[in-house]
């Protein structure tokens, strides 16, 4: 073990107030002793509680580690840390569960990308589905459970409904049945989040088969339980509720009172709203004179009543903040107190630092803990022992995948989030060559990834048509004010013109070599398909 690696973990533990404990070897990897065998096994529901097989009440304490729903088809950050390092940190922070987003597109893909082979040598050759197997197996070794989250149909954009023109309801259900069968014998996978953030036309119990989310969730839930009757079925709410009120995407569960979901297997349903602070979207309740004291009443009305009245369990499926404003700090403090009082389960968004409007629980190096956030979560999060990471070779630079800001839609007159804390690019853009192949030249294609009110993320696919020792792309991007990060290139702005030069692992290219580089920029608007001027030598 490299002592330098141990030191940074121990330093992080001291900052977060975590005790250092012994470790054990599980499956060839070093795992904290107190977390190596602490997963709860299969769970069920009783009234408003989630319970273990012995009948003991159990609170799920999850965090999302996203990336398998993006074009990378892999958990983000594995270009900087090993999978075991990330799982070590999550367990040491006090979480018990990973909420693992994925897309149906990635389930069928043949490869992932942006994995650091030096840090994760066994992962590079895996298909995304095999990579999911490995994430679950390693989570088990670290004493962590997993909730699978069908975050989106394709890897490009969040969908309003559970199906799209390209991904049918049948495909959605068939993939869920496949996953239920694949992990049927593994209680590490405790639940399935059927579809992330139904919104727009999605309704609850309206009777319209094309948009009735309650009916669709019933069909999918029963299909999953027909394969594995021991799974929890996690069902999110809708944006627009039956009384005309609106809330966060997936956040409205007011109509469950009169129209609950009834599945073929009893005691399986867990309802799952999402909730965010004003920096994600300025909802009207943030401007109330009695804010933040008004929040409990709003939460009670939309979903908290399910627990308060012992109707059904709730898992707050997403909540998170950069914690940079007084309003956000008040929101998080109030939310943590509410969760502590009600013992509602939760899944924090996110472990990743590259969520565009919430950030994460680690900084951009994927190692340094966000101690202010963890301190704020401490009343509901019991820290585990300090992790002792598996030694690994010195990292080599690899592509840094896209960040994960929220949807690109503009706010409507209703309180509808302009962003969902996940990557939301245009659906599967087709690369558009902007230069003709010639010896010693490159061709480049712009691939938008995410856009939100204050910035965007984009990738550029660069292919060398001969030996290239250096290359450059230039494009016009009105409204772009700064490039906050870039991978595989270095960028500068002059007026509205962005110029990026190949750097690090992508500086020099062999004939026929293709790399995918990218940038994250601050901007008032995102370029949709800019003309790329390219040069190489």
């Amino acid at each position: 073990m490299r002592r330098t690696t141990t030191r940074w973990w121990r330093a992080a533990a001291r900052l977060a107030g975590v005790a250092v404990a012994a470790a054990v070897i599980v499956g060839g990897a070093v795992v904290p002793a107190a977390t190596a065998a602490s997963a709860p096994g299969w769970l069920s529901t009783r009234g408003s509680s989630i319970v273990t097989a012995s009948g003991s009440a159990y609170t799920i304490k999850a965090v999302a580690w996203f990336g398998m729903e993006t074009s990378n088809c892999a958990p983000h950050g594995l270009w900087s840390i090993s999978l075991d390092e990330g799982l070590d940190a999550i367990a040491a922070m006090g979480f018990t569960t990973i909420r693992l987003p994925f897309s149906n597109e990635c389930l069928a893909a043949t490869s992932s990308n942006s994995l650091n082979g030096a840090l994760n040598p066994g992962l590079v050759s895996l298909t995304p589905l095999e990579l999911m197997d490995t994430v679950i197996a390693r989570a088990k070794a670290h004493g962590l459970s997993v909730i699978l989250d069908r975050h989106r149909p394709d890897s490009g954009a969040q969908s309003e409904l559970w199906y799209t023109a390209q991904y049918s309801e049948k495909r959605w259900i068939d993939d869920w049945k496949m996953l239920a069968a694949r992990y049927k014998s593994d209680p590490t996978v405790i639940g399935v989040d059927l579809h992330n953030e139904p919104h727009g036309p999605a309704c609850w119990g309206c009777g319209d088969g094309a948009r009735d989310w309650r009916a669709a969730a019933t069909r999918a839930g029963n299909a999953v339980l027909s394969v594995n009757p021991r799974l929890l079925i996690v069902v999110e709410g809708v944006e627009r509720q039956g009384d005309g009120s609106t809330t966060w995407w997936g956040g409205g569960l007011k109509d469950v009172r009169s129209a609950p979901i009834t599945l073929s297997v009893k005691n399986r349903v867990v309802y799952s709203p999402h909730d965010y602070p004003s920096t994600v979207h300025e909802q009207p309740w943030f401007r109330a004179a009695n804010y933040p004291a008004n929040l409990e009443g709003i939460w009670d009305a939309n979903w908290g009543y399910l627990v308060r009245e012992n109707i059904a369990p709730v898992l707050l499926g997403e909540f998170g903040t950069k914690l940079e404003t007084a309003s956000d700090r008040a929101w998080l403090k109030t939310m943590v107190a509410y969760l502590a009082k009600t013992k509602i389960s939760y899944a924090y968004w996110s472990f990743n630092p590259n969520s565009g409007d919430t950030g994460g629980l680690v900084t951009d190096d994927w190692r340094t803990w966000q101690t202010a956030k963890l301190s704020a979560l401490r009343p509901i999060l019991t820290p585990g022992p300090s992790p002792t990471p598996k030694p690994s070779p010195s990292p080599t630079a690899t592509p840094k995948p896209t960040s994960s800001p929220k949807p690109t839609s503009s706010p409507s007159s209703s309180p509808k989030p302009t962003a969902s804390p996940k990557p939301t690019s245009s659906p599967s853009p087709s690369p558009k060559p902007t230069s003709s192949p010639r010896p010693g030249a490159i061709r480049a294609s712009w691939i938008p990834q995410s856009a939100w009110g204050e910035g965007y993320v984009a990738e550029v696919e660069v292919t060398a048509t001969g030996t290239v020792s250096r290359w450059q792309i230039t494009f016009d991007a009105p409204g772009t004010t700064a490039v906050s990060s870039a991978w595989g290139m270095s960028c500068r702005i002059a007026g509205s013109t962005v110029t990026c030069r190949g750097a690090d692992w992508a500086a020099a290219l062999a004939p026929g070599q293709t790399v995918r580089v990218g940038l994250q920029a601050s901007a008032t608007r995102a370029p949709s398909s800019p003309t790329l001027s390219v040069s190489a030598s």
Side-chain angles (χ1 to χ4, degrees):
M1 181 184 302
R2 294 181 300 163
R3 294 183 181 274
T4 53
T5 302
T6 304
R7 278 201 298 271
W8 72 254
W9 275 118
R10 289 176 181 267
R14 287 195 296 272
L15 285 171
V18 176
V20 177
V24 297
I25 303 297
V26 178
V30 183
V31 182
T35 62
S38 58
W42 302 114
L43 301 170
S44 60
T45 72
R46 183 181 64 213
S48 61
S49 297
I50 296 170
V51 296
T52 64
S54 66
S56 300
Y58 184 81
T59 300
I60 295 171
K61 301 177 180 181
V63 64
W65 189 352
F66 65 76
M68 292 200 74
E69 81 285 18
T70 72
S71 60
N72 305 110
C73 293
H76 284 179
L78 298 183
W79 62 87
S80 292
I81 58 172
S82 71
L83 176 59
D84 278 310
E85 283 181 283
L87 295 171
D88 274 350
I90 287 168
M93 289 173 182
F95 294 99
T96 63
T97 305
I98 305 291
R99 180 174 180 248
L100 187 64
F102 68 88
S103 68
N104 297 88
E105 181 179 0
C106 283
L107 291 181
T110 58
S111 63
S112 301
N113 62 77
S114 300
L115 294 167
N116 187 323
L119 293 171
N120 296 283
L123 305 186
V124 175
S125 63
L126 301 180
T127 68
L129 192 54
E130 291 169 338
L131 179 56
M132 180 181 284
D133 294 341
T134 304
V135 172
I136 291 168
R138 297 312 307 150
K140 180 179 181 179
H142 290 266
L144 296 166
S145 302
V146 173
I147 293 174
L148 298 177
D149 159 36
R150 192 280 198 138
H151 210 71
R152 51 179 58 165
D154 62 61
S155 61
Q158 175 62 33
S159 62
E160 294 179 323
L161 301 172
W162 58 96
Y163 64 91
T164 65
Q166 292 75 35
Y167 291 84
S168 66
E169 176 177 307
K170 183 178 185 303
R171 170 78 175 271
W172 171 57
I173 291 178
D174 285 349
D175 278 350
W176 268 132
K177 292 175 69 175
M178 177 273 292
L179 292 172
R182 193 175 185 91
Y183 306 118
K184 183 176 182 178
S185 301
D186 189 352
T188 305
V189 179
I190 58 173
V192 297
D193 190 341
L194 293 176
H195 175 61
N196 183 65
E197 295 186 341
H199 61 281
C203 64
W204 188 277
C206 65
D208 182 345
R211 59 191 188 93
D212 190 336
W213 168 234
R214 173 180 175 264
T218 301
R219 292 191 294 271
N222 282 334
V224 168
L225 294 174
S226 72
V227 178
N228 183 357
R230 296 175 292 185
L231 287 168
L232 294 177
I233 305 300
V234 180
V235 182
E236 301 187 24
V238 294
E239 174 195 0
R240 185 172 296 278
Q241 305 184 94
D243 63 0
S245 63
T246 57
T247 182
W248 301 101
W249 291 3
L253 289 160
K254 189 179 294 186
D255 299 313
V256 171
R257 181 188 296 281
S258 58
I261 286 182
T262 302
L263 298 178
S264 56
V265 180
K266 293 181 179 180
N267 303 320
R268 296 287 122 196
V269 178
V270 176
Y271 294 100
S272 186
H274 292 180
D275 198 274
Y276 283 99
S278 63
T279 52
V280 174
H281 178 66
E282 185 60 45
Q283 304 277 17
W285 46 84
F286 296 125
R287 299 189 295 270
N290 62 339
Y291 175 80
N294 61 332
L295 291 175
E296 280 203 22
I298 293 165
W299 297 332
D300 278 348
N302 287 332
W303 43 271
Y305 74 94
L306 292 165
V307 170
R308 299 274 204 182
E309 300 176 25
N310 199 35
I311 295 171
V314 167
L315 181 148
L316 180 62
E318 287 183 15
F319 71 112
T321 169
K322 287 184 176 178
L323 210 62
E324 293 176 345
T325 67
S327 177
D328 274 28
R329 288 190 289 271
W331 169 86
L332 184 59
K333 182 178 180 180
T334 307
M335 176 63 81
V336 167
Y338 186 76
L339 294 174
K341 178 166 52 179
T342 58
K343 295 181 168 51
I344 286 174
S345 294
Y346 59 85
Y348 188 84
W349 187 276
S350 59
F351 174 66
N352 307 48
N354 60 329
S355 179
D357 50 5
T358 66
L361 294 177
V362 288
T363 61
D364 286 344
D365 65 6
W366 290 85
R367 289 186 165 94
T368 305
W369 293 12
Q370 293 277 16
T371 53
K373 292 185 183 181
L374 289 166
S375 295
L377 294 172
R378 192 58 59 216
I380 57 172
L381 193 61
T382 303
S386 175
T388 309
K390 178 181 179 180
S392 55
S394 299
T396 57
T398 53
K400 181 179 180 181
T402 62
S403 70
S404 188
K406 306 186 181 234
T408 57
S409 59
S410 299
S412 63
S413 58
S414 62
K416 173 180 181 179
T418 60
S420 162
K422 290 147 297 269
T424 55
S425 65
S426 304
S428 304
S430 300
K432 299 176 181 178
T434 57
S435 63
S436 301
R438 63 185 184 275
I442 64 167
R443 58 175 183 265
S445 309
W446 179 266
I447 305 176
Q449 290 294 311
S450 307
W452 60 105
E454 299 175 350
Y456 62 89
V457 171
E459 292 184 336
V460 179
E461 189 172 271
V462 179
T463 300
T465 61
T467 300
V468 172
S469 58
R470 61 178 63 87
W471 58 267
Q472 174 179 295
I473 62 168
T474 302
F475 59 94
D476 194 40
T480 298
T481 56
V483 174
S484 53
S485 65
W487 46 101
M489 56 186 184
S490 61
C491 301
R492 59 182 175 81
I493 300 176
S496 64
T497 300
V498 179
T499 300
C500 298
R501 293 185 173 89
D504 302 324
W505 48 271
L509 305 176
Q513 182 180 359
T514 297
V515 294
R516 186 174 284 195
V517 296
L519 75 160
Q520 179 171 330
S522 300
T524 55
R525 58 192 174 101
S528 59
S529 184
T531 298
L532 305 180
S533 299
V534 302
S535 62
S537 61

